[in-house]
Protein backbone atom coordinates (compact mmCIF):
# COMPACT_ATOMS: atom_id res chain seq x y z
CA UNK A 1 0.00 0.00 0.00
CA UNK A 2 0.98 3.65 -0.31
CA UNK A 3 1.21 5.37 3.06
CA UNK A 4 1.98 8.91 4.16
CA UNK A 5 3.21 9.78 7.63
CA UNK A 6 2.83 13.37 8.83
CA UNK A 7 5.52 14.23 11.38
CA UNK A 8 8.97 12.63 11.25
CA UNK A 9 9.93 12.56 14.90
CA UNK A 10 10.55 9.55 17.14
CA UNK A 11 7.28 7.89 16.17
CA UNK A 12 6.82 9.10 12.59
CA UNK A 13 10.29 8.19 11.39
CA UNK A 14 10.26 4.84 13.14
CA UNK A 15 6.90 3.71 11.79
CA UNK A 16 7.68 5.03 8.29
CA UNK A 17 10.98 3.13 8.11
CA UNK A 18 9.41 -0.02 9.56
CA UNK A 19 6.40 0.06 7.22
CA UNK A 20 8.80 0.53 4.29
CA UNK A 21 10.73 -2.51 5.49
CA UNK A 22 7.48 -4.47 5.67
CA UNK A 23 6.82 -3.69 1.99
CA UNK A 24 4.67 -0.54 1.94
CA UNK A 25 5.64 2.57 -0.07
CA UNK A 26 5.97 5.37 2.46
CA UNK A 27 6.40 9.11 2.30
CA UNK A 28 7.21 11.16 5.40
CA UNK A 29 5.90 14.73 5.50
CA UNK A 30 7.55 17.14 7.93
CA UNK A 31 7.82 20.93 8.15
CA UNK A 32 11.46 20.63 9.24
CA UNK A 33 13.62 20.80 6.11
CA UNK A 34 16.66 19.47 7.93
CA UNK A 35 14.77 16.31 8.91
CA UNK A 36 13.57 15.86 5.32
CA UNK A 37 17.05 16.35 3.86
CA UNK A 38 18.55 13.94 6.37
CA UNK A 39 16.01 11.25 5.56
CA UNK A 40 16.37 11.74 1.81
CA UNK A 41 20.12 11.38 2.25
CA UNK A 42 19.46 7.90 3.65
CA UNK A 43 20.18 8.89 7.26
CA UNK A 44 18.11 8.71 10.44
CA UNK A 45 17.26 12.10 11.98
CA UNK A 46 17.06 10.66 15.53
CA UNK A 47 19.18 8.31 17.64
CA UNK A 48 17.40 4.92 17.66
CA UNK A 49 18.92 1.47 17.55
CA UNK A 50 18.31 -0.24 14.19
CA UNK A 51 16.85 2.88 12.56
CA UNK A 52 19.95 3.95 10.53
CA UNK A 53 20.03 0.52 8.87
CA UNK A 54 16.32 0.65 7.92
CA UNK A 55 16.52 4.23 6.64
CA UNK A 56 19.61 3.60 4.53
CA UNK A 57 18.04 0.39 3.17
CA UNK A 58 14.92 2.17 1.92
CA UNK A 59 15.67 5.90 1.57
CA UNK A 60 18.48 7.88 -0.04
CA UNK A 61 20.40 7.30 -3.25
CA UNK A 62 21.15 3.63 -2.52
CA UNK A 63 17.79 2.74 -1.00
CA UNK A 64 14.93 0.67 -2.42
CA UNK A 65 12.96 3.88 -2.92
CA UNK A 66 10.19 2.69 -0.62
CA UNK A 67 10.89 5.54 1.83
CA UNK A 68 11.18 9.22 1.04
CA UNK A 69 10.50 12.51 2.77
CA UNK A 70 9.11 15.87 1.76
CA UNK A 71 7.88 19.15 3.23
CA UNK A 72 5.01 19.14 0.71
CA UNK A 73 1.65 17.87 1.98
CA UNK A 74 0.63 17.21 -1.66
CA UNK A 75 2.53 13.94 -1.32
CA UNK A 76 -0.44 12.50 0.58
CA UNK A 77 -2.52 12.59 -2.59
CA UNK A 78 -0.71 9.58 -4.02
CA UNK A 79 -1.25 7.53 -0.87
CA UNK A 80 -4.12 5.39 0.47
CA UNK A 81 -3.81 6.31 4.12
CA UNK A 82 -2.13 8.99 6.23
CA UNK A 83 -0.79 8.58 9.77
CA UNK A 84 -0.86 11.72 11.90
CA UNK A 85 2.28 11.52 14.09
CA UNK A 86 2.41 15.08 15.33
CA UNK A 87 3.38 16.21 18.84
CA UNK A 88 0.68 16.56 21.51
CA UNK A 89 2.46 18.56 24.23
CA UNK A 90 0.90 19.87 27.41
CA UNK A 91 -0.43 23.30 28.27
CA UNK A 92 0.80 25.06 31.41
CA UNK A 93 -2.13 23.59 33.36
CA UNK A 94 -1.16 20.04 32.29
CA UNK A 95 -4.01 19.63 29.80
CA UNK A 96 -3.28 18.44 26.28
CA UNK A 97 -2.28 21.08 23.72
CA UNK A 98 -3.90 20.04 20.45
CA UNK A 99 -2.85 23.09 18.43
CA UNK A 100 -0.21 21.25 16.37
CA UNK A 101 -2.62 18.38 15.66
CA UNK A 102 -5.31 20.86 14.65
CA UNK A 103 -2.94 22.71 12.32
CA UNK A 104 -1.75 19.44 10.76
CA UNK A 105 -5.32 18.16 10.33
CA UNK A 106 -6.33 21.43 8.69
CA UNK A 107 -3.48 21.35 6.17
CA UNK A 108 -4.08 17.66 5.51
CA UNK A 109 -7.81 18.28 4.99
CA UNK A 110 -7.20 21.19 2.61
CA UNK A 111 -4.82 19.03 0.61
CA UNK A 112 -7.35 16.20 0.42
CA UNK A 113 -9.87 18.42 -1.41
CA UNK A 114 -7.84 17.55 -4.51
CA UNK A 115 -8.29 13.79 -4.01
CA UNK A 116 -11.28 12.06 -5.54
CA UNK A 117 -10.82 8.59 -4.09
CA UNK A 118 -11.56 7.56 -0.49
CA UNK A 119 -8.76 8.48 1.92
CA UNK A 120 -8.11 7.13 5.39
CA UNK A 121 -6.55 9.24 8.13
CA UNK A 122 -5.11 7.34 11.12
CA UNK A 123 -4.43 9.28 14.31
CA UNK A 124 -1.21 7.85 15.75
CA UNK A 125 -0.46 10.65 18.20
CA UNK A 126 -1.54 10.25 21.81
CA UNK A 127 -4.78 12.22 22.22
CA UNK A 128 -7.30 12.33 25.07
CA UNK A 129 -10.59 10.43 24.67
CA UNK A 130 -13.00 11.81 22.08
CA UNK A 131 -10.35 14.01 20.37
CA UNK A 132 -10.58 12.04 17.13
CA UNK A 133 -14.36 12.38 16.93
CA UNK A 134 -14.95 15.76 18.59
CA UNK A 135 -11.92 17.78 17.43
CA UNK A 136 -10.08 16.21 14.49
CA UNK A 137 -13.04 14.86 12.51
CA UNK A 138 -14.81 18.25 12.14
CA UNK A 139 -11.53 19.93 11.12
CA UNK A 140 -10.78 17.26 8.51
CA UNK A 141 -14.35 17.23 7.20
CA UNK A 142 -14.57 21.02 6.89
CA UNK A 143 -11.15 21.46 5.33
CA UNK A 144 -11.46 18.56 2.86
CA UNK A 145 -15.14 19.14 2.10
CA UNK A 146 -15.59 15.39 2.52
CA UNK A 147 -17.77 13.47 4.91
CA UNK A 148 -16.59 10.69 7.18
CA UNK A 149 -17.91 7.39 5.86
CA UNK A 150 -18.10 8.73 2.31
CA UNK A 151 -14.85 10.29 0.99
CA UNK A 152 -13.03 10.03 4.29
CA UNK A 153 -12.25 7.49 6.98
CA UNK A 154 -10.73 8.43 10.34
CA UNK A 155 -9.22 5.85 12.67
CA UNK A 156 -7.13 5.88 15.83
CA UNK A 157 -4.14 3.61 16.37
CA UNK A 158 -2.20 4.30 19.58
CA UNK A 159 1.52 3.60 19.63
CA UNK A 160 3.29 1.78 22.46
CA UNK A 161 6.92 1.85 21.30
CA UNK A 162 9.59 2.95 23.75
CA UNK A 163 12.41 5.26 22.83
CA UNK A 164 15.71 3.44 22.63
CA UNK A 165 14.01 0.24 21.49
CA UNK A 166 11.53 1.87 19.10
CA UNK A 167 12.24 -0.26 16.02
CA UNK A 168 12.18 -3.57 17.89
CA UNK A 169 9.05 -2.55 19.82
CA UNK A 170 7.19 -1.47 16.69
CA UNK A 171 8.09 -4.60 14.75
CA UNK A 172 7.26 -6.95 17.65
CA UNK A 173 4.37 -5.34 19.53
CA UNK A 174 2.61 -6.92 22.51
CA UNK A 175 -0.63 -5.83 20.84
CA UNK A 176 -2.00 -3.79 17.97
CA UNK A 177 -4.97 -1.55 18.80
CA UNK A 178 -7.14 -0.52 15.86
CA UNK A 179 -9.77 2.09 16.72
CA UNK A 180 -12.40 2.81 14.09
CA UNK A 181 -16.01 3.92 14.14
CA UNK A 182 -16.94 2.42 10.76
CA UNK A 183 -16.26 -0.82 8.87
CA UNK A 184 -14.47 0.68 5.88
CA UNK A 185 -11.89 2.48 8.01
CA UNK A 186 -11.37 -0.66 10.09
CA UNK A 187 -10.77 -2.67 6.90
CA UNK A 188 -8.20 -0.20 5.58
CA UNK A 189 -6.41 -0.21 8.96
CA UNK A 190 -6.35 -4.01 8.96
CA UNK A 191 -4.79 -3.98 5.48
CA UNK A 192 -2.16 -1.46 6.58
CA UNK A 193 -1.22 -3.61 9.57
CA UNK A 194 -1.48 -7.02 7.87
CA UNK A 195 2.27 -7.26 7.03
CA UNK A 196 3.19 -6.21 10.57
CA UNK A 197 0.82 -8.70 12.16
CA UNK A 198 2.26 -11.44 9.95
CA UNK A 199 5.86 -10.39 10.65
CA UNK A 200 5.27 -10.20 14.42
CA UNK A 201 3.79 -13.70 14.53
CA UNK A 202 0.17 -12.76 15.13
CA UNK A 203 0.16 -10.46 18.17
CA UNK A 204 -3.32 -9.82 19.60
CA UNK A 205 -5.21 -7.27 17.49
CA UNK A 206 -7.68 -5.29 19.57
CA UNK A 207 -10.44 -3.89 17.38
CA UNK A 208 -12.42 -1.15 19.08
CA UNK A 209 -13.86 2.34 18.59
CA UNK A 210 -11.70 5.46 18.44
CA UNK A 211 -12.39 6.80 21.95
CA UNK A 212 -11.58 3.44 23.55
CA UNK A 213 -8.36 3.23 21.52
CA UNK A 214 -7.46 6.72 22.77
CA UNK A 215 -8.14 5.67 26.38
CA UNK A 216 -6.17 2.41 26.07
CA UNK A 217 -3.05 4.48 25.42
CA UNK A 218 -3.51 6.64 28.55
CA UNK A 219 -4.45 3.63 30.66
CA UNK A 220 -1.30 1.85 29.46
CA UNK A 221 1.01 4.76 30.25
CA UNK A 222 -0.81 5.68 33.47
CA UNK A 223 -0.55 2.12 34.73
CA UNK A 224 3.17 1.89 33.97
CA UNK A 225 3.94 5.33 35.43
CA UNK A 226 1.98 4.41 38.57
CA UNK A 227 3.81 1.07 38.80
CA UNK A 228 7.16 2.88 38.86
CA UNK A 229 5.84 5.41 41.39
CA UNK A 230 4.55 2.59 43.59
CA UNK A 231 7.92 0.83 43.60
CA UNK A 232 9.51 4.21 44.35
CA UNK A 233 7.12 4.70 47.28
CA UNK A 234 8.01 1.21 48.51
CA UNK A 235 11.69 1.90 47.77
CA UNK A 236 11.61 5.05 49.89
CA UNK A 237 10.21 2.98 52.78
CA UNK A 238 12.94 0.38 52.20
CA UNK A 239 15.62 3.07 52.38
CA UNK A 240 14.29 4.26 55.74
CA UNK A 241 14.54 0.71 57.09
CA UNK A 242 17.93 -0.05 55.52
CA UNK A 243 16.40 -2.62 53.16
CA UNK A 244 17.46 -3.06 49.51
CA UNK A 245 14.36 -2.28 47.40
CA UNK A 246 15.86 -4.20 44.48
CA UNK A 247 15.93 -7.40 46.50
CA UNK A 248 12.32 -6.78 47.46
CA UNK A 249 11.39 -6.02 43.83
CA UNK A 250 13.04 -9.23 42.64
CA UNK A 251 10.94 -11.18 45.12
CA UNK A 252 7.59 -9.53 44.42
CA UNK A 253 8.25 -9.67 40.67
CA UNK A 254 8.10 -13.47 40.91
CA UNK A 255 4.37 -13.14 41.49
CA UNK A 256 2.82 -13.42 38.02
CA UNK A 257 0.16 -10.92 38.98
CA UNK A 258 2.84 -8.28 39.64
CA UNK A 259 5.46 -9.23 37.02
CA UNK A 260 9.17 -8.44 37.09
CA UNK A 261 9.18 -5.53 34.66
CA UNK A 262 8.99 -1.83 35.56
CA UNK A 263 10.09 -2.38 39.14
CA UNK A 264 13.33 -0.41 38.95
CA UNK A 265 13.08 2.16 41.72
CA UNK A 266 15.15 5.33 41.88
CA UNK A 267 14.88 8.77 40.35
CA UNK A 268 11.55 8.08 38.69
CA UNK A 269 10.12 8.61 35.25
CA UNK A 270 10.81 11.28 32.68
CA UNK A 271 10.67 11.40 28.92
CA UNK A 272 8.34 12.79 26.33
CA UNK A 273 5.38 10.62 27.30
CA UNK A 274 4.76 9.58 30.93
CA UNK A 275 4.85 13.11 32.41
CA UNK A 276 2.70 14.82 29.79
CA UNK A 277 0.33 11.89 29.26
CA UNK A 278 -0.31 11.42 32.98
CA UNK A 279 -0.98 15.15 33.33
CA UNK A 280 -3.20 15.16 30.24
CA UNK A 281 -5.45 12.32 31.38
CA UNK A 282 -5.69 13.83 34.89
CA UNK A 283 -6.72 17.17 33.34
CA UNK A 284 -9.18 15.44 30.98
CA UNK A 285 -10.71 13.50 33.90
CA UNK A 286 -11.00 16.70 35.94
CA UNK A 287 -12.73 18.45 33.07
CA UNK A 288 -15.34 15.69 33.28
CA UNK A 289 -15.64 16.22 37.05
CA UNK A 290 -13.48 13.33 38.28
CA UNK A 291 -10.29 13.88 40.32
CA UNK A 292 -8.14 10.71 39.94
CA UNK A 293 -6.31 10.19 43.27
CA UNK A 294 -4.08 7.31 42.13
CA UNK A 295 -2.67 9.13 39.11
CA UNK A 296 -2.22 12.31 41.13
CA UNK A 297 -0.24 10.32 43.70
CA UNK A 298 1.90 8.79 40.95
CA UNK A 299 2.86 12.28 39.82
CA UNK A 300 3.49 13.47 43.38
CA UNK A 301 5.84 10.57 44.22
CA UNK A 302 7.66 11.11 40.94
CA UNK A 303 8.09 14.82 41.52
CA UNK A 304 9.63 14.20 44.96
CA UNK A 305 12.36 11.72 43.95
CA UNK A 306 14.94 14.21 42.58
CA UNK A 307 14.85 16.25 45.81
CA UNK A 308 15.15 13.08 47.93
CA UNK A 309 18.18 12.23 45.78
CA UNK A 310 19.78 15.63 46.42
CA UNK A 311 18.97 15.38 50.13
CA UNK A 312 21.07 12.20 50.23
CA UNK A 313 23.94 14.18 48.75
CA UNK A 314 23.38 16.96 51.33
CA UNK A 315 23.78 14.42 54.12
CA UNK A 316 27.38 13.80 52.99
CA UNK A 317 28.52 17.11 51.56
CA UNK A 318 27.74 20.81 51.58
CA UNK A 319 27.95 21.12 47.80
CA UNK A 320 28.28 24.92 47.55
CA UNK A 321 31.46 25.50 45.55
CA UNK A 322 32.16 21.76 45.34
CA UNK A 323 32.64 19.97 42.02
CA UNK A 324 29.73 17.62 41.33
CA UNK A 325 29.63 15.28 38.32
CA UNK A 326 26.23 14.45 36.84
CA UNK A 327 26.44 11.11 35.02
CA UNK A 328 23.64 10.77 32.48
CA UNK A 329 21.42 13.41 30.92
CA UNK A 330 19.08 11.39 28.68
CA UNK A 331 15.75 10.51 30.31
CA UNK A 332 16.76 6.86 30.03
CA UNK A 333 19.56 4.88 28.35
CA UNK A 334 19.53 4.22 24.59
CA UNK A 335 18.21 7.63 23.57
CA UNK A 336 19.44 11.19 23.13
CA UNK A 337 16.05 12.52 24.26
CA UNK A 338 16.25 14.77 27.33
CA UNK A 339 12.61 15.86 27.44
CA UNK A 340 11.54 15.81 31.11
CA UNK A 341 14.72 13.96 32.02
CA UNK A 342 15.22 13.67 35.77
CA UNK A 343 18.62 15.27 35.07
CA UNK A 344 16.82 18.61 34.69
CA UNK A 345 15.46 18.91 38.27
CA UNK A 346 18.71 17.39 39.57
CA UNK A 347 20.81 20.05 37.81
CA UNK A 348 18.38 22.79 38.86
CA UNK A 349 18.70 21.61 42.47
CA UNK A 350 22.50 21.57 42.25
CA UNK A 351 22.52 25.05 40.76
CA UNK A 352 20.32 26.36 43.56
CA UNK A 353 22.88 24.86 45.99
CA UNK A 354 25.68 26.70 44.10
CA UNK A 355 27.52 23.50 43.16
CA UNK A 356 30.22 23.57 40.49
CA UNK A 357 28.59 21.15 38.02
CA UNK A 358 30.16 19.03 35.28
CA UNK A 359 27.82 16.84 33.24
CA UNK A 360 28.31 13.89 30.92
CA UNK A 361 26.16 11.76 28.66
CA UNK A 362 27.28 9.54 25.76
CA UNK A 363 24.70 10.94 23.30
CA UNK A 364 22.45 13.56 24.90
CA UNK A 365 24.82 16.47 25.54
CA UNK A 366 23.78 18.45 22.47
CA UNK A 367 20.11 18.22 23.40
CA UNK A 368 20.81 19.18 27.01
CA UNK A 369 22.76 22.27 25.88
CA UNK A 370 19.39 23.73 24.86
CA UNK A 371 18.29 23.61 28.52
CA UNK A 372 21.66 24.41 30.12
CA UNK A 373 23.86 26.19 27.55
CA UNK A 374 26.40 27.37 30.10
CA UNK A 375 26.97 24.11 31.91
CA UNK A 376 30.37 22.42 31.72
CA UNK A 377 30.08 19.20 29.69
CA UNK A 378 32.76 16.50 29.83
CA UNK A 379 33.78 14.31 26.89
CA UNK A 380 33.84 11.07 28.88
CA UNK A 381 32.48 9.78 32.18
CA UNK A 382 36.08 9.49 33.40
CA UNK A 383 36.72 13.15 32.59
CA UNK A 384 33.52 14.13 34.41
CA UNK A 385 34.39 12.44 37.67
CA UNK A 386 38.06 13.42 37.63
CA UNK A 387 38.68 15.77 40.59
CA UNK A 388 34.96 15.73 41.44
CA UNK A 389 33.84 15.82 45.07
CA UNK A 390 30.73 13.80 44.26
CA UNK A 391 29.28 11.83 41.35
CA UNK A 392 25.51 11.58 40.84
CA UNK A 393 24.23 8.76 38.63
CA UNK A 394 21.07 9.95 36.88
CA UNK A 395 20.74 7.68 33.82
CA UNK A 396 21.47 3.94 33.86
CA UNK A 397 23.80 3.79 30.85
CA UNK A 398 25.72 0.47 30.72
CA UNK A 399 29.05 2.30 30.50
CA UNK A 400 28.59 3.66 34.04
CA UNK A 401 28.49 0.10 35.36
CA UNK A 402 31.92 -0.43 33.83
CA UNK A 403 33.51 2.53 35.63
CA UNK A 404 36.20 1.30 38.00
CA UNK A 405 39.70 2.81 38.36
CA UNK A 406 38.27 6.12 37.11
CA UNK A 407 36.84 6.63 40.61
CA UNK A 408 40.40 6.83 41.98
CA UNK A 409 40.79 10.19 40.22
CA UNK A 410 37.92 11.74 42.20
CA UNK A 411 38.84 14.36 44.79
CA UNK A 412 36.44 12.55 47.13
CA UNK A 413 34.92 9.16 46.23
CA UNK A 414 31.31 10.02 47.00
CA UNK A 415 28.76 8.40 44.69
CA UNK A 416 25.01 8.93 44.96
CA UNK A 417 23.30 6.46 42.64
CA UNK A 418 19.79 7.20 41.41
CA UNK A 419 19.54 4.18 39.13
CA UNK A 420 21.12 1.16 40.85
CA UNK A 421 24.00 1.28 38.42
CA UNK A 422 27.30 1.36 40.30
CA UNK A 423 28.96 -1.44 42.21
CA UNK A 424 30.42 0.09 45.36
CA UNK A 425 34.17 -0.41 45.79
CA UNK A 426 36.64 -0.07 48.64
CA UNK A 427 37.23 3.54 49.60
CA UNK A 428 33.97 4.72 48.06
CA UNK A 429 31.17 6.33 50.04
CA UNK A 430 28.11 5.02 48.22
CA UNK A 431 24.43 5.82 48.64
CA UNK A 432 21.62 4.29 46.61
CA UNK A 433 18.36 6.19 46.47
CA UNK A 434 16.16 3.24 47.45
CA UNK A 435 18.65 0.60 48.54
N1 LIG B 1 8.23 9.43 21.48
C1 LIG B 1 7.64 8.28 21.83
O1 LIG B 1 8.28 7.36 22.31
C2 LIG B 1 6.15 8.10 21.61
C3 LIG B 1 5.61 6.81 21.73
C4 LIG B 1 4.23 6.64 21.55
C5 LIG B 1 3.44 7.73 21.22
N2 LIG B 1 3.99 8.96 21.12
C6 LIG B 1 3.13 10.08 20.71
O2 LIG B 1 3.34 10.30 19.31
C7 LIG B 1 3.20 11.70 19.00
C8 LIG B 1 4.45 12.21 18.32
O3 LIG B 1 5.51 12.11 19.23
P1 LIG B 1 7.05 12.17 18.78
O4 LIG B 1 7.84 11.87 20.00
O5 LIG B 1 7.28 11.35 17.55
O6 LIG B 1 7.17 13.73 18.40
P2 LIG B 1 8.45 14.51 17.90
O7 LIG B 1 8.44 15.83 18.55
O8 LIG B 1 9.66 13.65 18.02
O9 LIG B 1 8.22 14.70 16.32
C9 LIG B 1 7.20 15.46 15.77
C10 LIG B 1 7.58 15.89 14.34
O10 LIG B 1 6.46 16.61 13.80
C11 LIG B 1 6.96 17.68 12.99
N3 LIG B 1 5.91 18.67 12.81
C12 LIG B 1 5.46 19.61 13.70
N4 LIG B 1 4.42 20.29 13.16
C13 LIG B 1 4.20 19.77 11.94
C14 LIG B 1 3.25 20.03 10.91
N5 LIG B 1 2.30 20.96 11.05
N6 LIG B 1 3.31 19.27 9.79
C15 LIG B 1 4.25 18.32 9.62
N7 LIG B 1 5.18 18.04 10.56
C16 LIG B 1 5.15 18.75 11.69
C17 LIG B 1 8.18 18.17 13.75
O11 LIG B 1 9.05 18.88 12.91
C18 LIG B 1 8.78 16.83 14.27
O12 LIG B 1 9.74 16.31 13.36
C19 LIG B 1 2.86 12.37 20.35
O13 LIG B 1 1.47 12.44 20.49
C20 LIG B 1 3.42 11.40 21.37
O14 LIG B 1 2.77 11.51 22.61
C21 LIG B 1 5.33 9.18 21.27
O1 LIG C 1 11.36 0.20 36.11
C1 LIG C 1 11.43 1.32 35.59
C2 LIG C 1 11.09 1.55 34.24
C3 LIG C 1 11.18 2.84 33.73
N1 LIG C 1 11.60 3.86 34.51
C4 LIG C 1 11.67 5.23 33.95
O2 LIG C 1 10.46 5.51 33.27
C5 LIG C 1 10.68 6.39 32.19
C6 LIG C 1 10.03 5.85 30.94
O3 LIG C 1 10.69 4.68 30.52
P1 LIG C 1 10.18 3.81 29.29
O4 LIG C 1 8.77 3.47 29.48
O5 LIG C 1 11.13 2.70 29.08
O6 LIG C 1 10.39 4.85 28.11
P2 LIG C 1 9.47 5.63 27.07
O7 LIG C 1 10.22 5.64 25.80
O8 LIG C 1 9.07 6.92 27.69
O9 LIG C 1 8.16 4.73 26.82
C7 LIG C 1 6.92 4.95 27.48
O10 LIG C 1 6.19 5.99 26.85
C8 LIG C 1 5.93 5.75 25.45
C9 LIG C 1 5.25 6.98 24.90
O11 LIG C 1 3.91 7.03 25.19
C10 LIG C 1 5.08 4.50 25.32
O12 LIG C 1 4.80 4.27 23.94
C11 LIG C 1 5.81 3.31 25.95
O13 LIG C 1 4.98 2.15 25.88
C12 LIG C 1 6.12 3.66 27.40
O14 LIG C 1 6.88 2.60 28.00
C13 LIG C 1 12.20 6.56 32.08
O15 LIG C 1 12.57 7.79 32.66
C14 LIG C 1 12.76 5.40 32.90
O16 LIG C 1 14.00 5.71 33.48
C15 LIG C 1 11.93 3.64 35.84
O17 LIG C 1 12.29 4.58 36.55
N2 LIG C 1 11.84 2.36 36.34
Amino acid sequence: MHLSVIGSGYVGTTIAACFADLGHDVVNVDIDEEVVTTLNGGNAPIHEEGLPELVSRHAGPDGTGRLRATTDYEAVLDTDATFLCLPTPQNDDGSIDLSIMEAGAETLGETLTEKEEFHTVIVKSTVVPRTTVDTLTPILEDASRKTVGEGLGIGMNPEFLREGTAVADFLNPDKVVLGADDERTRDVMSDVFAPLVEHADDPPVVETDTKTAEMVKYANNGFLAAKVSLINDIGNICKEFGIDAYEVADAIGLDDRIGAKFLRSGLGWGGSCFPKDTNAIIAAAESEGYEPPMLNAAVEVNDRQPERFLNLLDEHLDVAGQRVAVLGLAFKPGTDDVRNSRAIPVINGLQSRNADIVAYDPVAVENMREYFPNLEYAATAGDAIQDADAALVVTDWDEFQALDDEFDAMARQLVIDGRHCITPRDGMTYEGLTW
Side-chain angles (χ1 to χ4, degrees), residues 303 306-307 310 340-350 372:
D303 286 349
E307 199 51 35
L310 292 169
N340 268 304
S341 168
R342 300 295 80 194
I344 296 169
V346 167
I347 292 170
N348 281 332
L350 287 173
F372 298 105

Side-chain angles (χ1 to χ4, degrees), residues 5-13 29-33 35 45-46 48 70-71 73 84-89 96 99-101 103-105 107 124-127 158-164 166 217-218 221 272-273 276-277 331 337 339:
V5 176
I6 311 243
S8 287
Y10 284 88
V11 172
T13 308
V29 182
D30 202 289
I31 49 171
D32 187 330
E33 289 195 14
V35 166
I46 49 162
E48 268 302 331
T70 176
T71 54
Y73 269 70
L84 278 175
C85 296
L86 294 170
T88 48
I96 192 167
S99 56
I100 303 173
M101 286 298 281
T107 313
K124 186 59 139 167
S125 300
T126 303
V127 292
E159 180 52 56
F160 303 99
L161 64 77
R162 291 162 298 173
E163 291 182 22
K217 174 66 192 173
Y218 284 98
N221 273 3
S272 66
C273 293
K276 83 163 169 74
D277 291 347
F331 83 92
D337 196 343
R339 290 178 284 183

Side-chain angles (χ1 to χ4, degrees), residues 11 126 159-165 169 217 220-221 224 228 231-232 246 261-277 302 330-333 340-342 394 396 419:
V11 172
T126 303
E159 180 52 56
F160 303 99
L161 64 77
R162 291 162 298 173
E163 291 182 22
T165 50
D169 286 348
K217 174 66 192 173
N220 220 90
N221 273 3
L224 291 171
V228 174
I231 198 63
N232 281 339
Y246 275 72
K261 292 179 182 162
F262 264 66
L263 288 179
R264 292 182 59 80
S265 55
L267 267 166
W269 34 271
S272 66
C273 293
F274 282 179
K276 83 163 169 74
D277 291 347
N302 199 54
F331 83 92
K332 66 175 206 176
N340 268 304
S341 168
R342 300 295 80 194
V394 174
D396 34 349
R419 297 290 184 188

